[in-house]
Amino acid sequence: MLGVCLPSATHVSRASRRPTGAKLALKPLHVWGIRIRLQVALRYRDLALFDLALDSKLRGCDLLALRVRDVLSAAGLKSRVMILQRKTGRPVQFEITEQTRRSLGAWLEAKDLKAEDWLFPSRSKPGAHLGVRQYARLVDRWVTLVGLDPAQYGTHSLRRTKVSLLYKKTGNLRACQLLMGHTKLESTVRYLGVEVDDALALSESLEL
């Protein structure tokens, strides 16, 4: 549009270039801070949910719909899981790290859940699983524990934390796409807020 002055790209901060409404990913320092506080408080459910949210990178609706049998086999807690995403109907795989297996094991032992039970059952609605709104409230409490502004973080912060770190470390968008379960690479680019600056920085790091 003529007559409208747009700010130069060099004067736009990285934070302001995030996709509209996008929540910030957690930094490793935040992750460990939240984890330690939940451990000290013996919040077995919260710790298991927090750790699995980071590992799985699932949307809240898919994470909360997991049953015990999805993560537990006759041989013990699984190291890899595959589910069908509700939004896309496509399968996605995720890892369960040793840290998460420990927290899940403590939660399952404390709650004495059976294979067909919801992994995170509702405390107020018998037969139902934890609701998305309650999950969002828990995330607000967790980030507040380490002095973060809950307005800047949310359930998607946990979904994007690992892939954001992976992208910064490797620049591998295809790997991030697979982990997020996106059908199109463009969705991953938008979700991570990849910019031309990022591509140039990656290119500059290569010497021929």
Side-chain angles (χ1 to χ4, degrees), residues 95-111:
E95 76 283 1
I96 303 181
T97 60
E98 179 59 32
Q99 161 66 35
T100 303
R101 289 198 294 273
R102 286 197 299 269
S103 57
L104 278 173
W107 165 238
L108 293 175
E109 183 177 355
K111 190 65 175 177

Side-chain angles (χ1 to χ4, degrees), residues 3-204:
V4 176
C5 294
L6 297 176
S8 169
T10 58
H11 292 90
V12 180
S13 69
R14 180 170 295 274
S16 67
R17 288 192 279 111
R18 294 201 312 274
T20 303
K23 299 297 185 179
L24 293 171
L26 295 174
K27 296 179 180 179
L29 180 66
H30 302 148
V31 170
W32 283 103
I34 293 170
R35 186 174 284 153
I36 289 171
R37 284 162 176 78
L38 294 178
Q39 287 174 338
V40 170
L42 301 180
R43 301 296 296 270
Y44 298 117
R45 183 202 63 178
D46 287 16
L47 181 59
L49 179 58
F50 176 71
D51 283 341
L52 189 58
L54 292 172
D55 275 357
S56 70
K57 302 162 285 288
L58 292 174
R59 298 177 182 88
C61 60
D62 291 323
L63 174 66
L64 301 176
L66 292 172
R67 294 184 183 270
V68 174
R69 62 171 177 259
D70 293 320
V71 301
L72 186 66
S73 68
L77 284 162
K78 301 175 182 178
S79 59
R80 291 192 179 182
V81 174
M82 177 182 288
I83 68 156
L84 289 178
Q85 301 173 94
R86 290 188 176 188
K87 182 175 181 179
T88 65
R90 293 171 60 89
V92 65
Q93 290 190 72
F94 60 87
E95 76 283 1
I96 303 181
T97 60
E98 179 59 32
Q99 161 66 35
T100 303
R101 289 198 294 273
R102 286 197 299 269
S103 57
L104 278 173
W107 165 238
L108 293 175
E109 183 177 355
K111 190 65 175 177
D112 192 27
L113 297 172
K114 299 178 177 59
E116 65 275 11
D117 290 335
W118 299 114
L119 186 56
F120 301 106
S122 170
R123 292 175 176 174
S124 60
K125 297 180 180 179
H129 57 66
L130 186 71
V132 174
R133 289 185 180 179
Q134 179 60 21
Y135 174 40
R137 286 193 288 267
L138 287 172
V139 174
D140 285 349
R141 294 176 194 169
W142 297 340
V143 299
T144 302
L145 288 174
V146 290
L148 298 176
D149 179 4
Q152 296 293 315
Y153 296 85
T155 59
H156 275 270
S157 297
L158 276 62
R159 172 164 158 76
R160 72 192 307 160
T161 290
K162 267 198 167 183
V163 288
S164 294
L165 291 171
L166 176 65
Y167 173 70
K168 288 178 182 178
K169 185 176 181 179
T170 69
N172 191 331
L173 277 172
R174 174 57 178 163
C176 294
Q177 178 193 8
L178 292 172
L179 292 170
M180 299 296 292
H182 287 154
T183 55
K184 296 181 180 179
L185 189 60
E186 290 83 355
S187 299
T188 307
V189 170
R190 288 194 301 271
Y191 197 83
L192 294 178
V194 177
E195 298 288 337
V196 173
D197 289 348
D198 299 319
L200 289 173
L202 289 170
S203 182
E204 288 169 351

